[in-house]
Amino acid sequence: PLLIRMLGLELYGVWVVLLSVVSVILIAQLGLDTALTQLLAAAYAQHDVDDMGHIEGTSLVLISVSGAAVAIVFSLSASFLLSKLFPAYAGDASLLTTVRLFALALLPRFWQQWAMASEAGLLRYDWQARIEGAGYFLLSVGVVSLAWAGQSLQVLAVWYLVATIATLLLHLLFLKQAWQRLSVKPTYSPVSVGSVRDALAQGAADQRLEIRGLAEADGLGLAEGVEDVFIRGEAQCAQE
């Protein structure tokens, strides 16, 4: 409600849709984060430092390639997406820049997901929650402050990019300390690609189940909302 008052209903809707689009695009990892967590946790349980380093390095290369490809495609198709998602703003240069700023944030967001998966593989959910909480607080306070100051969506998108990079750096700082403590050296290994690919298939299957569950939950929530509207309408008619 606070952002709606500051941005206006239309611009708030645009902002929420762009955030949702980024969340959906993260599915392009195809379960790589889940695969990383499973493989890293298995190697960590066996105290296999070399395998941990290969898994970390190989998964980072794979997720960097996929993230860069998605970011480039998203940036190049910004005009098309703008015309389809927001026809009324199809010719708005400022909003087009906003969409491209979100595209710039995609690769850091992919790296952020990779870092979170690494922390999960090391069973450090405590630090994962702390860092994500700090990042969310930083993003929220900045967005509200900028909106209160009357800044445009373009400026808010810049802050989204800054907050994303800041959160990523916190994750990397923790991982660097964890690697040093465990004597892990992330390195790319072609031999690890096969193991990552096998786990990736399982991760993708898990992700499909998760997406299906979310879709069913959203559909159920929508149906319940529509039913609630009809019930209230009938009650109001009865009173009249």
Side-chain angles (χ1 to χ4, degrees):
L2 187 60
L3 274 180
I4 294 177
R5 294 178 184 176
M6 294 176 179
L7 296 176
L9 187 58
E10 288 189 6
L11 290 182
Y12 174 76
V14 171
W15 176 254
V16 171
V17 168
L18 289 176
L19 291 177
S20 301
V21 168
V22 170
S23 298
V24 171
I25 288 177
L26 290 178
I27 297 174
Q29 294 179 91
L30 299 176
L32 183 57
D33 53 347
T34 303
L36 168 59
T37 299
Q38 293 174 351
L39 290 174
L40 186 59
Y44 180 58
Q46 297 173 359
H47 304 286
D48 191 337
V49 176
D50 291 335
D51 196 25
M52 291 173 63
H54 292 157
I55 291 169
E56 289 277 45
T58 304
S59 61
L60 178 58
V61 171
L62 293 176
I63 207 165
S64 297
V65 171
S66 61
V70 170
I72 291 172
V73 171
F74 187 76
S75 180
L76 293 177
S77 60
S79 298
F80 174 77
L81 291 173
L82 192 62
S83 63
K84 294 299 181 182
L85 294 174
F86 316 109
Y89 296 94
D92 193 319
S94 176
L95 193 55
L96 180 61
T97 302
T98 301
V99 175
R100 286 177 174 156
L101 284 169
F102 271 92
L104 284 176
L106 281 176
L107 184 55
R109 286 286 285 129
F110 270 68
W111 284 334
Q112 183 180 345
Q113 293 295 109
W114 169 84
M116 291 173 60
S118 297
E119 290 161 354
L122 296 175
L123 306 180
R124 294 311 305 263
Y125 293 99
D126 52 343
W127 274 101
Q128 182 191 91
R130 291 173 186 173
I131 294 172
E132 284 299 301
Y136 181 78
F137 178 78
L138 179 66
L139 174 63
S140 300
V141 171
V143 167
V144 171
S145 301
L146 291 171
W148 179 76
Q151 298 295 332
S152 64
L153 284 187
Q154 187 173 341
V155 177
L156 267 63
V158 171
W159 181 251
Y160 176 83
L161 177 60
V162 170
T164 298
I165 294 175
T167 306
L168 171 63
L169 291 177
L170 288 175
H171 280 295
L172 293 179
L173 180 61
F174 168 75
L175 284 176
K176 181 180 179 181
Q177 294 176 346
W179 292 335
Q180 289 176 346
R181 186 174 64 254
L182 296 171
S183 299
V184 173
K185 296 181 179 180
T187 54
Y188 175 76
S189 172
V191 178
S192 300
V193 174
S195 299
V196 173
R197 185 172 58 246
D198 294 339
L200 185 59
Q202 181 61 43
D206 294 341
Q207 196 169 54
R208 285 195 297 269
L209 290 175
E210 182 179 354
I211 294 171
R212 184 181 303 171
L214 289 173
E216 291 176 353
D218 289 343
L220 180 60
L222 179 60
E224 291 176 348
V226 172
E227 182 180 3
D228 184 56
V229 170
F230 277 112
I231 291 175
R232 291 185 181 182
E234 291 176 355
Q236 185 175 359
C237 292
Q239 290 178 357
E240 294 177 355

